[in-house]
Amino acid sequence: MKLLCIVLAAFLHVCILQAQPLKSIHIEVDQTAFDDLYEHWSQDNYIPVGFSYQGVEWSEVSMRIRGDGSREFPKKSLKLRFDDQPFVDGRDRLNVNAEYLDMSYMHAVVSSELFREAGIPCFSAEHVLVYLNGELWGVYVLTENMDEKYLSANGLDPSGLLYKATKDGACMNLYEDVTQLWEIKNNVDAGWNPLKRFIHELNHVPDDQFVEWLHKNVDIDNYYTSIIMNALLGSGSTYYHNYFMYNDIYGSGKWMYLPWDLDQTMGTYHFMNYPITRSSNEYNFDNPWAERAWIHPVTRAALIERLHELGTSVFNPENVFPRMDSLQTLLHPYVLIDETDQ
């Protein structure tokens, strides 16, 4: 019986590889260097690798482990750096995400699509097969990097300010050390003061001036839509890390929320309750970006109106379920042969 199972598994593997509708990435790496990379997963050490995508090879490519808490998982996410020829989309960075907690493999892909359909600039994401030294390593999600090219591709000024809420506790609260919890992703010369000033005002503006302040300083459509989409998607890994704040410093001067790392949506944290007004987790401060919106009567009414709009136009069964069914059909055979997942 054991031999029969092995034969059937091998046969399934061959059939899948012959069909192979998923794109593939091949990584060649010194095994000792790779083992050391996995052992020291908390460090941002790059190692040189051979890299090809869809049969096209790139030279001078290096790789490291990426992510925050996900680094300790058995299946780790990867960041690739292209030091010579850029990747196919002109980028010099590439994220290859393991999606270890998402056993459906579809949360980030579907959620990013829905964010874009709702009018929120969001990274692109697609499924790929990753091969390591000729062996199938698993199913991953190829994820667009958030940088100047991302801004340009989404109609945003690439010279604007882009800050990443990197570490747990990046809640835009009064007490956080911004320089320790956030990263400046572009326009480094602008420094930390614009973000610090925005956080200070977001927390201190009086209630009777809050709506006026929002319309002056925040892209108001982005504000209401991003909060509602996070609520509808049950995004459990945002507002305390894993999001970006963008400021169109040379244009409108307004701030926008940009989503990131959407693998922990759609009930990934199934053991926790998600009230629609959720703005953080139980270990960190509430985030006033979302918190004040739900408390103030004017913005709360606007949020409820946006909730009904998006629940009808974007987040509805006719729009969401068919794409999930399609992805399930596509991914199921690959997940069966992915020995690195759960």
Side-chain angles (χ1 to χ4, degrees):
M1 179 60 71
K2 182 177 181 180
L3 178 60
L4 178 61
C5 291
I6 293 174
V7 172
L8 288 174
F11 176 74
L12 177 62
H13 196 167
V14 170
C15 291
I16 289 172
L17 296 184
Q18 287 176 343
Q20 190 151 321
L22 290 187
K23 296 176 182 178
S24 60
I25 287 175
H26 288 260
I27 297 172
E28 299 292 330
V29 61
D30 178 82
Q31 191 63 49
T32 301
F34 180 78
D35 293 342
D36 185 70
L37 191 71
Y38 251 53
E39 181 179 353
H40 300 93
W41 46 262
S42 63
Q43 302 174 15
D44 285 341
N45 297 329
Y46 279 94
I47 60 173
V49 299
F51 178 87
S52 68
Y53 173 72
Q54 293 296 90
V56 180
E57 296 184 358
W58 276 259
S59 60
E60 296 186 34
V61 180
S62 52
M63 180 178 76
R64 68 167 174 85
I65 304 299
R66 69 161 302 273
D68 188 15
S70 64
R71 291 179 181 233
E72 61 186 277
F73 298 147
K75 184 179 182 181
K76 305 186 189 304
S77 297
L78 310 169
K79 182 175 283 288
L80 292 146
R81 183 178 68 195
F82 297 80
D83 297 321
D84 182 19
Q85 179 186 359
F87 191 56
V88 291
D89 56 3
R91 311 295 176 86
D92 59 6
R93 297 290 190 277
L94 188 64
N95 301 297
V96 185
N97 293 341
E99 312 299 307
Y100 185 72
L101 289 181
D102 176 14
M103 288 181 278
S104 74
Y105 285 90
M106 66 177 69
H107 292 173
V109 173
V110 172
S111 295
S112 63
E113 291 176 355
L114 295 177
F115 260 110
R116 290 194 297 274
E117 290 175 15
I120 300 294
C122 193
F123 58 86
S124 61
E126 65 173 326
H127 296 95
V128 293
L129 296 178
V130 174
Y131 292 82
L132 186 73
N133 293 336
E135 298 291 329
L136 179 64
W137 189 244
V139 180
Y140 287 73
V141 174
L142 189 64
T143 306
E144 181 181 15
N145 202 52
M146 303 281 282
D147 51 26
E148 293 92 341
K149 289 185 171 60
Y150 158 85
L151 294 175
S152 295
N154 285 277
L156 301 174
D157 183 357
S159 61
L161 307 181
L162 187 64
Y163 298 94
K164 180 183 180 183
T166 305
K167 300 292 185 182
D168 288 4
C171 305
M172 291 196 279
N173 71 83
L174 295 173
Y175 311 105
E176 67 191 53
D177 186 339
V178 170
T179 62
Q180 296 299 312
L181 301 179
W182 294 72
E183 292 180 76
I184 304 177
K185 303 305 290 186
N186 73 325
N187 204 339
V188 177
D189 292 340
W192 293 105
N193 284 339
L195 179 62
K196 289 181 177 179
R197 183 166 55 250
F198 177 74
I199 291 174
H200 177 83
E201 292 179 3
L202 175 63
N203 281 272
H204 281 94
V205 62
D207 288 343
D208 61 355
Q209 300 174 28
F210 180 62
V211 175
E212 180 183 358
W213 178 86
L214 276 180
H215 282 267
K216 181 180 179 180
N217 294 281
V218 171
D219 184 312
I220 204 66
D221 284 336
N222 170 274
Y223 184 65
Y224 292 134
T225 300
S226 63
I227 292 173
I228 291 303
M229 286 303 296
N230 276 324
L232 287 170
L233 290 166
S235 185
S237 184
T238 192
Y239 296 138
Y240 67 95
H241 73 171
N242 281 344
Y243 64 95
F244 287 78
M245 293 302 296
Y246 169 78
N247 181 223
D248 185 19
I249 188 174
Y250 300 115
S252 67
K254 294 184 177 182
W255 289 82
M256 297 176 65
Y257 169 100
L258 301 175
W260 182 239
D261 260 14
L262 295 171
D263 57 316
Q264 293 179 24
T265 54
M266 303 183 184
T268 298
Y269 290 133
H270 57 83
F271 53 87
M272 297 173 66
N273 293 320
Y274 282 95
I276 196 171
T277 55
R278 176 189 176 95
S279 71
S280 188
N281 61 19
E282 64 268 36
Y283 308 113
N284 292 287
F285 291 102
D286 291 333
N287 190 318
W289 173 267
E291 195 77 15
R292 295 197 69 173
W294 285 113
I295 291 174
H296 195 285
V298 174
T299 51
R300 182 182 180 88
L303 286 175
I304 293 173
E305 181 179 355
R306 190 61 53 91
L307 172 64
H308 289 296
E309 293 173 0
L310 293 172
T312 302
S313 62
V314 176
F315 200 84
N316 65 77
E318 291 76 16
N319 190 41
V320 177
F321 291 164
R323 71 183 75 203
M324 288 183 170
D325 293 339
S326 177
L327 279 176
Q328 181 179 0
T329 301
L330 172 67
L331 295 174
H332 182 253
Y334 298 101
V335 175
L336 290 178
I337 62 171
D338 187 343
E339 298 181 356
T340 60
D341 66 9
Q342 297 194 68

